[in-house]
Amino acid sequence: MVSEEENSVPALVETIVTQLVDYPDQLELTTSEKESSLLIELHVAADDVGKVIGRHGRVIKAIRSLARAASAGQGHGHVDVEIVN
């Protein structure tokens, strides 16, 4: 069973991305955990990819920074957020 604390990082990322995209119903978020690292994969509509990446990658970098900060103290050594289409 996944505790609420362990689930908070993917929920945070999902909340942020949902507000950015035009098609939130097409947003899919998958997570995988290996050892002490967490990988969050975002599947968004093709029209929304640019909005999530942002100009020069600034938006996705900010999302990654927030995810890493939120995971501090939760036992995740490394958290990465990737866009998969």
Side-chain angles (χ1 to χ4, degrees), residues 14-44:
E14 183 174 18
T15 301
I16 293 168
V17 174
T18 300
Q19 298 301 312
L20 292 173
V21 298
D22 288 334
Y23 304 101
D25 55 323
Q26 293 184 25
L27 171 65
E28 290 182 31
L29 187 128
T30 58
T31 60
S32 59
E33 199 168 341
K34 292 183 182 175
E35 297 173 14
S36 65
S37 64
L38 177 65
L39 174 63
I40 301 171
E41 294 179 335
L42 300 171
H43 303 268
V44 296

Side-chain angles (χ1 to χ4, degrees), residues 66-84:
L66 287 169
R68 289 179 184 134
S71 72
Q74 290 189 9
H76 299 296
H78 181 73
V79 175
D80 201 10
V81 179
E82 295 293 329
I83 301 171
V84 180

Side-chain angles (χ1 to χ4, degrees), residues 44-77:
V44 296
D47 293 343
D48 289 330
V49 172
K51 292 179 182 180
V52 177
I53 294 173
R55 193 172 284 186
H56 301 288
R58 289 183 184 142
V59 174
I60 192 65
K61 286 179 188 176
I63 292 169
R64 288 176 179 143
S65 294
L66 287 169
R68 289 179 184 134
S71 72
Q74 290 189 9
H76 299 296

